[in-house]
Amino acid sequence: MTKNKVQQVMSELGRMYSNGTRPFFSVTTIINKMFPTEPFLIKWWKTNPSIETDRILKAKGFMGTIVHDVLDKMKTDLSFIVDWEYMETMIKQKMSPFYIEFYGGLDDCVCTAMKYIESYIAWGESYTPKIVGSEVRLYHEQYDWAGTTDDVLQINDDIIISDIKTGSMNDKHFYQGVAYAILWNALYPKLKCSSVAVLYLKSDFKTKPTFNFKTLELNSAKGTAIANEWYKLMELFRLRYANADGSYTYKPRYRPSDSLRLNGITQDLIVK
């Protein structure tokens, strides 16, 4: 594989995880590369000016990140209270006015984020889960993929790998959950998950918070079929992107030295 080809592959493949010695490709990266783009998205990209398309995608991406970050803080500290001022500060820190305006201005942007949080709270009150883990990084030496699951839950006696989405429902999300579940069960064989789930948060409700919680049992016909399809998908992914020895070529991120001091500078501190 030539150097240019390697660089092209890396720019295409995107996010990777590492345990310090080897790279693992992100599950979401693999899914985005291996699944065909939906026809309605292709039509939307073609009919919208590129700058507006970019604005919409990034605005929604920032919103999703903010909601995930706030929920992670709330889950790891159940006494933490998110108020309007806190959310406003978060949004102003993480989103430029260009993206805030997509939501109709700062007040409406905060309102949207707070409604997503309320949606999660409504789900919690309905299912009363125990949070086993939040934003859990998963990778295992036996496999060449990795990822971060939003929630590991215990509902009744079942351990469930769950992801939180602020976008539209899509069956591809179950592939993500199943890929995470394979890693989780390899890592924690005494605490195996029996199901995966996708929690779709809502911000368009009018009278009270709503949500959509989709679950899939791993040993169901559909769960088994998706697991088998995932393994086949990974075989094709390796054929496209892996080296002959099964490794992946990647550009390691620059790592700063463990300790730093100023070099090349002399002192004559007349004024301090």
Side-chain angles (χ1 to χ4, degrees):
M1 186 178 287
T2 66
K3 182 178 180 181
N4 288 340
K5 182 61 177 176
V6 169
Q7 291 174 341
Q8 179 185 352
V9 168
M10 285 311 306
S11 65
E12 289 175 350
L13 291 182
R15 188 176 184 187
M16 298 183 76
Y17 288 77
S18 175
N19 64 355
T21 58
R22 59 172 285 203
F24 300 80
F25 277 104
S26 157
V27 169
T28 52
T29 294
I30 293 167
I31 289 173
N32 289 337
K33 289 302 302 176
M34 301 305 292
F35 276 93
T37 303
E38 287 85 349
F40 78 90
L41 274 177
I42 295 173
K43 182 179 179 181
W44 179 69
W45 284 328
K46 287 181 177 179
T47 55
N48 283 276
S50 59
I51 188 168
E52 184 61 18
T53 302
D54 183 68
R55 179 190 181 210
I56 293 170
L57 293 175
K58 287 190 176 179
K60 289 186 174 184
F62 282 126
M63 176 62 71
T65 299
I66 289 168
V67 170
H68 277 75
D69 288 350
V70 172
L71 285 175
D72 181 48
K73 188 169 182 64
M74 296 176 75
K75 287 179 287 181
T76 52
D77 179 5
L78 295 180
S79 66
F80 181 73
I81 297 174
V82 176
D83 58 21
W84 195 273
E85 183 180 357
Y86 178 88
M87 188 64 78
E88 185 176 284
T89 300
M90 282 280 290
I91 287 171
K92 288 194 289 188
Q93 286 177 346
K94 295 179 179 289
M95 293 178 73
S96 73
F98 183 65
Y99 301 122
I100 291 173
E101 195 56 38
F102 168 77
Y103 290 96
L106 181 59
D107 195 67
D108 284 347
C109 191
V110 175
C111 182
T112 298
M114 293 293 276
K115 289 174 81 173
Y116 278 130
I117 301 299
E118 279 197 285
S119 179
Y120 189 88
I121 292 170
W123 163 80
E125 291 173 344
S126 184
Y127 283 85
T128 60
K130 180 182 289 185
I131 303 292
V132 178
S134 175
E135 299 296 328
V136 181
R137 279 196 167 198
L138 300 169
Y139 51 80
H140 190 278
E141 291 295 330
Q142 185 179 341
Y143 302 104
D144 55 351
W145 67 85
T148 301
T149 185
D150 297 326
D151 281 337
V152 181
L153 310 169
Q154 182 177 347
I155 300 178
N156 299 323
D157 294 327
D158 295 327
I159 299 296
I160 301 174
I161 298 292
S162 179
D163 246 39
I164 301 166
K165 303 295 182 185
T166 54
S168 303
M169 288 189 288
N170 193 317
D171 248 14
K172 285 194 295 187
H173 298 147
F174 277 136
Y175 286 81
Q176 182 179 355
V178 167
Y180 291 164
I182 292 169
L183 298 173
W184 173 270
N185 287 343
L187 288 165
Y188 305 102
K190 294 182 179 179
L191 198 64
K192 284 190 173 183
C193 71
S194 57
S195 301
V196 297
V198 187
L199 172 56
Y200 295 96
L201 302 182
K202 305 293 183 181
S203 67
D204 57 354
F205 51 84
K206 304 298 182 184
T207 56
K208 66 176 183 179
T210 59
F211 59 87
N212 203 326
F213 189 51
K214 296 287 188 180
T215 60
L216 175 69
E217 291 185 9
L218 292 175
N219 63 359
S220 67
K222 184 173 181 178
T224 302
I226 287 179
N228 290 336
E229 287 182 36
W230 175 257
Y231 285 118
K232 291 177 182 176
L233 192 77
M234 285 305 303
E235 287 179 11
L236 181 57
F237 184 83
R238 294 182 193 108
L239 284 172
R240 289 186 183 180
Y241 300 114
N243 298 319
D245 62 358
S247 66
Y248 294 99
T249 304
Y250 76 106
K251 291 180 181 178
R253 292 181 179 177
Y254 174 80
R255 178 179 173 83
S257 301
D258 293 335
S259 59
L260 302 169
R261 61 169 292 171
L262 291 178
N263 295 315
I265 296 175
T266 57
Q267 274 186 347
D268 189 6
L269 293 177
I270 300 172
V271 178
K272 184 178 180 181

